[in-house]
Amino acid sequence: MATPLSILLVEDNPGDARLIQLGFVESGLDVALDHVDRIDKAVSLFAEKAFDVVILDLSLPDGKGFGTFSKIHTHAPGTPIVVLTGLDDESLAEDLAGAGAQDYLVKDNVSPRILRRVIRYAIERKRAEKELRLAAKIFEGTLESIIVTDENLRVQRINSAFSQITGYTQKEVLGWEFGRFHADTPDSAFFKAVQDILVESGQWQGEVINRRKNGEAFPAWMNISAILNEAGHAANYVAVFTEITELKLSQERVRHLSRHDALTGLPNRMLFGDRLEHSLAQAHRNNTSLAAVFMDLDRFKIINDTLGHSEGDELLNQVAQRLKSCSRGSDTLARLGGDEFALILEDFADEDAVAKVAEKILHELSQPLTVGEHEVFITASLGIAFHHASGAKDEEEKDPAAIAATSSTLLKNADVAMYRAKENGRGNYQFYSSDMDEEAMERLKLETSLRHALDREEFVLHYQPQVDSTTNAIQGVEALLRWQHPEMGLVPPARIIPILEETGMIVAVGEWVLQSACRQAKTWQDEGFPLMRMAVNISPRQFKHPDFIQHVTNALNETELDPSYLELELTESMVIENVDETARILEEFKERGVRIAIDDFGDGASSISYLKNFPISTLKISHSFVIDIATDRDDAAIASMLIDMARNMDLTSIAEGVETDEQLDCLRERQCKEVQGYIYSRPLASADFTKYLKKRLSN
Ligand code: C2E
Ligand code: MG
Ligand code: MG
């Protein structure tokens, strides 16, 4: 149910008022009528309530004519006013209509029908006015820029949002062709196409690049609709647009994030791939060369596990900074993931120049890093693959698919070369060459057949004596692994240990070695040969295995070998990696009577301080100092020092790889306790070693 129309009648003449009241009653309009006889009374009523219509007599005790109207109008600005006039001042009423009066009633002519019409009409017009005002408010108040054009797309109106965004005023752009705001020229193909679509369908939306008054271009999302006239033709167009610079920026940020490494901010693998393809295409066009460098930090996993992951991240960040400092701004440096980095080098004179960059990187990285409270030493292995200008520009190379293939081959080759650098002892760089592929293939084949070697019982141990340098008695034997391959013959450990280590197979193979070596030692003891230590080489992965102590214990228990005849050969790098844990393990071995030797002593980190803290029995002087001991003063001095050190700490010194009498003499002179090498015997299969023992005993 609609509420009644509330009407205020301002009329001082009681007769006229009565007539109007009657008219309303007869009109059938649902009306709530208030009646006052003075302007001031009307004004105080406005303070209390709103009226749908005011019917106003112009001549009142406190006001006359136009003044009456304007007072009422100012106090009830939104309310329609119908003016009551006499026949004689109908012209005044018409003037007032211009000033905002809705209509007028001639006093002597008030019939219910006229009253109805006038009231309805007054209210209708007021509502329309309100709506227009609302539309205008929206037009001006909205944050979206609006352009209204005529049927020829010439600007008629713009709103203030448009002015704010573009810097143009309404006056400046009046009559402009709409396309002029577009960053392209107005007659650009793009705007022609938009126009065609508008004519065809009356509607277009999409992204445009507009230009501000100051010349700056900005992206906008624009929606254009035709406003049709009664005949169905476009009379106007309304274009509404929002600037999307921010949106574009955030899209750009998302794109950046997805193509960069969050930790270092460097390009990631994806972006690196794109850049490499781009560089290859360019190298092809310009007939120039290009190099891809693949870098992998050495032993990063161990450092990361030891330091903790946030320090590991910090370390990677510092490495990234150093790598950056080694590359030019134009080179693409990327983090491919984990501890892998890659670099694209362009514009170099020759391969030597690339080698220089690699050396610089290795040098920079070799400087100690400070991570938290720790001083960390890190090295990297680098692999480098070249793409050389071919001279001939064959069509195939220009094909994006071919370039993508070349790009991934190049990276793969750099990776293969990096592996070679790792094999070469890490901390160096290698140029890729095609024979590395064959090696990689061979390695893969080796790995596959190695997986069956244990089951097929293809592993054997060879034994090499460790001889007392003064008495010539055999004090110990080192067990050395061999792979008896059905086709390849006897494969040396250098070719298989890295694969076993990398794949983790070394743990199982190492258990087998321990068992076999202990069994052999026990057998020789049972056969009555003089007592000898059995030295067994242990690999890092094996040593780090949580069950390592158990593996050793099992071997001793099952073979019933007295633990004091077992010597485990560890390398320096293994024992200094995790000092506390290592000390705990070594103490446990000491308690059981198992001996510990440091293999290849002098080759590694040579952090001599650890020797004091660990229960070690034997130092094996590295082969590398023995080779030239008779000819090279430095090597001789180092060997002397190592031997003295062993003696001072009450350790057995064993020189490795002794081949000549001169070497033996030098070692004897320096009182090296034992020697091991071809001069006495090559490593021998079990049966041969038994023969060797017998022969020595019979001499
Ligand atoms: P290593 O423990 O330093 O072993 C000494 C190496 O020197 C042996 O090489 C031995 O054959 C060689 N050699 C002995 N006398 C001479 C000599 O007079 N001149 C020269 N030039 N070389 C001599 P091999 O048997 O090829 O073993 C190489 C390395 O493989 C070993 O170095 C050891 O680190 C590793 N390895 C061998 N067997 C095992 C094993 O069962 N487990 C593990 N984890 N590593 C093993
Ligand atoms: Mg050894
Ligand atoms: Mg050795």
Side-chain angles (χ1 to χ4, degrees):
M1 199 65 216
T3 48
L5 283 169
S6 83
I7 292 174
L8 175 64
L9 175 61
V10 192
E11 171 63 83
D12 61 333
N13 183 320
D16 289 342
R18 180 89 196 115
L19 269 176
I20 299 224
Q21 278 163 344
L22 276 175
F24 274 122
V25 172
E26 282 171 34
S27 73
L29 289 168
D30 185 12
V31 163
L33 191 69
D34 285 83
H35 174 215
V36 292
D37 57 0
R38 296 170 61 99
I39 296 171
D40 51 6
K41 286 183 188 164
V43 168
S44 49
L45 258 187
F46 289 141
E48 287 165 28
K49 62 193 274 193
F51 293 92
D52 292 317
V53 177
V54 177
I55 298 172
L56 176 65
D57 180 8
L58 287 179
S59 99
L60 294 166
D62 52 351
K64 290 264 175 302
F66 192 82
T68 309
F69 173 81
S70 78
K71 266 193 199 139
I72 295 293
H73 187 58
T74 28
H75 283 93
T79 313
I81 300 171
V82 176
V83 176
L84 273 174
T85 70
L87 265 176
D88 46 344
D89 48 25
E90 224 173 312
S91 63
L92 168 67
E94 271 166 12
D95 289 350
L96 286 173
Q102 245 63 38
D103 210 336
Y104 63 92
L105 282 167
V106 180
K107 275 187 184 176
D108 298 330
N109 212 358
V110 179
S111 73
R113 195 174 55 81
I114 289 175
L115 209 52
R116 237 182 352 246
R117 177 183 60 75
V118 165
I119 295 293
R120 285 232 170 93
Y121 191 55
I123 291 171
E124 202 76 332
R125 278 185 51 186
K126 200 68 208 172
R127 185 183 303 139
E129 227 173 60
K130 236 186 190 164
E131 273 168 13
L132 267 179
R133 256 204 307 276
L134 181 66
K137 255 192 195 152
I138 293 171
F139 182 77
E140 282 308 323
T142 182
L143 293 173
E144 277 150 332
S145 303
I146 304 176
I147 309 171
V148 181
T149 75
D150 64 11
E151 76 265 35
N152 299 316
L153 281 161
R154 290 194 178 270
V155 177
Q156 285 184 325
R157 282 289 304 275
I158 56 167
N159 69 350
S160 47
F162 180 93
S163 294
Q164 246 163 37
I165 287 177
T166 62
Y168 287 115
T169 63
Q170 160 86 29
K171 248 166 107 190
E172 283 172 313
V173 299
L174 187 70
W176 272 23
E177 193 164 297
F178 175 69
R180 255 172 95 170
F181 301 114
H182 191 243
D184 290 344
T185 49
D187 60 354
S188 75
F190 174 70
F191 253 87
K192 278 271 180 297
V194 169
Q195 236 162 321
D196 288 349
I197 293 169
L198 275 176
V199 170
E200 177 109 332
S201 69
Q203 179 96 41
W204 180 88
Q205 63 175 355
E207 207 179 302
V208 292
I209 305 292
N210 286 342
R211 200 178 283 291
R212 297 186 224 277
K213 191 179 175 183
N214 66 11
E216 188 189 5
F218 65 95
W221 182 261
M222 172 107 64
N223 201 319
I224 313 176
S225 317
I227 311 263
L228 303 184
N229 60 18
E230 280 100 54
H233 298 300
N236 301 88
Y237 291 95
V238 178
V240 180
F241 71 81
T242 34
E243 181 174 348
I244 52 173
T245 306
E246 276 303 316
L247 183 73
K248 284 267 163 192
L249 280 177
S250 62
Q251 275 175 351
E252 192 46 51
R253 274 194 288 273
V254 168
R255 196 178 140 79
H256 181 90
L257 282 178
S258 70
R259 294 161 65 82
H260 287 77
D261 166 41
L263 177 65
T264 60
L266 293 176
N268 64 12
R269 185 180 283 274
M270 195 166 117
L271 182 53
F272 182 81
D274 285 358
R275 295 263 178 91
L276 187 54
E277 283 176 28
H278 181 257
S279 299
L280 276 169
Q282 206 172 340
H284 182 77
R285 272 196 301 279
N286 305 341
N287 214 14
T288 53
S289 299
L290 175 151
V293 185
F294 197 109
M295 302 175 255
D296 189 288
L297 302 184
D298 300 327
R299 299 192 180 89
F300 175 72
K301 202 188 158 320
I302 294 162
I303 296 172
N304 199 35
D305 289 347
T306 316
L307 289 179
H309 288 246
S310 68
E311 275 84 359
D313 283 355
E314 168 64 19
L315 177 77
L316 287 172
N317 246 326
Q318 292 191 26
V319 166
Q321 288 308 320
R322 289 202 179 169
L323 292 176
K324 253 188 224 166
S325 74
C326 296
S327 57
R328 292 171 302 187
S330 58
D331 303 329
T332 293
L333 171 67
R335 179 174 173 227
L336 302 186
D339 58 341
E340 288 176 359
F341 294 85
L343 182 64
I344 303 170
L345 295 174
E346 294 164 285
D347 253 346
F348 45 82
D350 50 19
E351 296 195 354
D352 277 353
V354 174
K356 289 242 165 59
V357 175
E359 275 156 21
K360 190 172 164 201
I361 289 173
L362 288 173
H363 174 77
E364 276 301 312
L365 289 182
S366 71
Q367 306 303 306
L369 286 155
T370 311
V371 179
E373 300 162 356
H374 307 274
E375 190 172 51
V376 182
F377 292 86
I378 194 136
T379 57
S381 301
L382 275 59
I384 301 166
F386 287 95
H387 177 82
H388 285 300
S390 62
K393 299 197 173 194
D394 48 358
E395 285 307 309
E396 204 182 305
E397 284 255 348
K398 285 180 201 159
D399 169 25
I403 286 183
T406 312
S407 152
S408 67
T409 307
L410 199 61
L411 195 59
K412 196 204 86 209
N413 291 349
D415 191 11
V416 167
M418 187 278 290
Y419 257 93
R420 168 57 69 84
K422 291 258 182 212
E423 281 170 11
N424 267 21
R426 304 187 167 96
N428 69 110
Y429 68 90
Q430 295 290 322
F431 285 165
Y432 167 81
S433 68
S434 53
D435 53 327
M436 287 182 185
D437 273 340
E438 286 158 32
E439 280 163 40
M441 271 307 289
E442 200 210 333
R443 196 186 148 93
L444 197 66
K445 270 197 250 159
L446 268 186
E447 186 183 321
T448 316
S449 42
L450 259 178
R451 292 195 180 273
H452 303 292
L454 204 56
D455 296 338
R456 295 181 186 158
E457 301 185 358
E458 291 171 353
F459 289 118
V460 289
L461 291 180
H462 281 195
Y463 300 94
Q464 190 177 35
Q466 296 170 332
V467 180
D468 191 295
S469 66
T470 46
T471 65
N472 258 355
I474 298 179
Q475 305 288 1
V477 192
E478 180 172 7
L480 294 158
L481 183 65
R482 303 286 181 267
W483 181 22
Q484 185 66 61
H485 189 274
E487 287 138 39
M488 292 186 281
L490 210 57
V491 185
R495 285 185 60 197
I496 56 173
I497 299 279
I499 301 174
L500 293 174
E501 176 75 9
E502 202 169 289
T503 56
M505 291 190 270
I506 193 71
V507 176
V509 175
E511 272 191 88
W512 176 86
V513 171
L514 276 165
Q515 295 268 354
S516 309
C518 291
R519 181 161 297 116
Q520 181 64 74
K522 176 73 175 153
T523 305
W524 280 325
Q525 289 183 3
D526 291 349
E527 287 171 3
F529 290 105
L531 296 173
M532 306 174 290
R533 299 180 312 259
M534 176 58 75
V536 176
N537 292 285
I538 303 299
S539 87
R541 189 123 173 205
Q542 206 184 346
F543 185 69
K544 259 182 281 183
H545 195 280
D547 296 336
F548 177 61
I549 296 177
Q550 194 56 49
H551 293 162
V552 175
T553 313
N554 290 347
L556 290 167
N557 290 345
E558 280 168 36
T559 60
E560 296 178 346
L561 178 71
D562 180 338
S564 63
Y565 293 106
L566 177 61
E567 183 161 84
L568 303 177
E569 291 196 5
L570 312 177
T571 57
E572 292 181 78
S573 56
M574 281 159 67
V575 296
I576 59 172
E577 246 159 34
N578 194 347
V579 176
D580 295 341
E581 179 66 1
T582 302
R584 192 185 66 74
I585 295 171
L586 296 191
E587 282 302 336
E588 198 147 330
F589 282 128
K590 188 191 173 183
E591 264 168 43
R592 289 165 202 221
V594 176
R595 297 168 59 94
I596 301 294
I598 300 297
D599 204 354
D600 305 327
F601 189 65
D603 272 357
S606 290
S607 160
I608 288 164
S609 57
Y610 72 86
L611 286 177
K612 291 202 308 280
N613 302 329
F614 295 146
I616 291 164
S617 335
T618 304
L619 286 188
K620 298 192 71 178
I621 315 295
S622 168
H623 183 204
S624 58
F625 305 111
V626 175
I627 297 178
D628 294 326
I629 192 169
T631 50
D632 186 302
R633 286 239 220 112
D634 291 342
D635 283 356
I638 294 169
S640 295
M641 191 191 76
L642 298 178
I643 292 164
D644 290 347
M645 210 164 73
R647 190 179 36 256
N648 292 337
M649 294 170 75
D650 219 8
L651 305 178
T652 305
S653 50
I654 306 181
E656 295 184 300
V658 184
E659 296 183 6
T660 66
D661 291 330
E662 289 80 13
Q663 290 167 345
L664 185 58
D665 289 343
C666 287
L667 288 160
R668 279 187 172 140
E669 234 169 74
R670 289 171 173 76
Q671 297 173 41
C672 185
K673 188 88 185 21
E674 295 176 20
V675 292
Q676 177 184 349
Y678 296 168
I679 190 163
Y680 287 105
S681 170
R682 291 185 171 261
L684 299 171
S686 158
D688 293 334
F689 195 83
T690 309
K691 274 185 217 156
Y692 171 81
L693 285 176
K694 283 182 177 155
K695 203 173 137 207
R696 280 185 66 108
L697 284 174
S698 64
N699 279 349

